[in-house]
Amino acid sequence: MRLSEETTIEGDRIITVTTYRAKDGMIVTDTLDRSAVVAHSKNGSNTIARTLDLDRYGAITIRASFRWYTDEDAGIMGIGYVKCTRMTASWSAPTGYTCDVWETDYEDEYQSFGKAWAQVKYKIYETSAPIYEVKGTFKITCSDTGDISDNG
């Protein structure tokens, strides 16, 4: 259940912080940091950071760079292309927790009329009590006009 969402502008960055309460009562904070000036453009690039704070399970951060352009010679409106040029992911490992699934991937080929993405699949559990775990896919997407989505 979403508890709050706040968006602020700091310099040329838009930062959106969304707080949720998971079904088990855990408080999760999702922070998305992206450029405030490049969205909805025909050509551009953006570097995004997204952090998912999973309470006692630590925090996962993805940093990804996207590039997009419009081929003006392809039809009346042109054709837009987008790809992820690089991505990194990290986990702040709290004492007593193990991450046994950690798979990073990103779309590094240009996509037309679509979206590129960067993601990490994870499974984190209490080392002494493996039945207590969190798992999922944490993702960022970018459209061929630079719109960023968390696709949480």
Side-chain angles (χ1 to χ4, degrees):
M1 169 174 50
R2 182 180 295 191
L3 299 175
S4 67
E5 180 174 292
E6 181 179 350
T7 299
T8 59
I9 297 177
E10 296 179 16
D12 66 346
R13 308 294 295 173
I14 296 176
I15 300 168
T16 302
V17 178
T18 307
T19 304
Y20 302 90
R21 180 183 312 277
K23 291 178 184 178
D24 66 358
M26 179 174 63
I27 302 297
V28 176
T29 304
D30 188 343
T31 304
L32 183 64
D33 178 341
R34 67 239 183 246
S35 173
V37 295
V38 298
H40 305 293
S41 62
K42 289 187 176 188
N43 301 289
S45 63
N46 197 347
T47 298
I48 297 95
R50 183 176 179 211
T51 300
L52 186 65
D53 186 333
L54 297 166
D55 199 11
R56 67 183 184 272
Y57 294 93
I60 298 169
T61 300
I62 295 177
R63 295 185 191 290
S65 295
F66 294 93
R67 180 171 308 281
W68 63 91
Y69 72 94
T70 300
D71 181 354
E72 299 288 345
D73 295 329
I76 296 172
M77 299 294 290
I79 296 176
Y81 295 88
V82 61
K83 75 175 180 176
C84 181
T85 57
R86 68 180 173 88
M87 75 88 67
T88 60
S90 62
W91 171 55
S92 63
T95 303
Y97 289 82
T98 300
C99 181
D100 74 350
V101 173
W102 188 260
E103 300 171 9
T104 61
D105 196 10
Y106 64 98
E107 181 55 68
D108 61 352
E109 299 290 327
Y110 275 111
Q111 301 298 302
S112 61
F113 296 116
K115 294 184 177 187
W117 46 266
Q119 70 179 24
V120 60
K121 291 181 183 178
Y122 62 91
K123 178 182 169 187
I124 303 166
Y125 60 88
E126 286 188 44
T127 307
S128 63
I131 61 168
Y132 300 108
E133 67 178 31
V134 293
K135 62 183 177 179
T137 301
F138 186 48
K139 189 173 191 178
I140 301 170
T141 63
C142 180
S143 76
D144 60 6
T145 59
D147 288 325
I148 302 299
S149 171
D150 56 20
N151 279 357

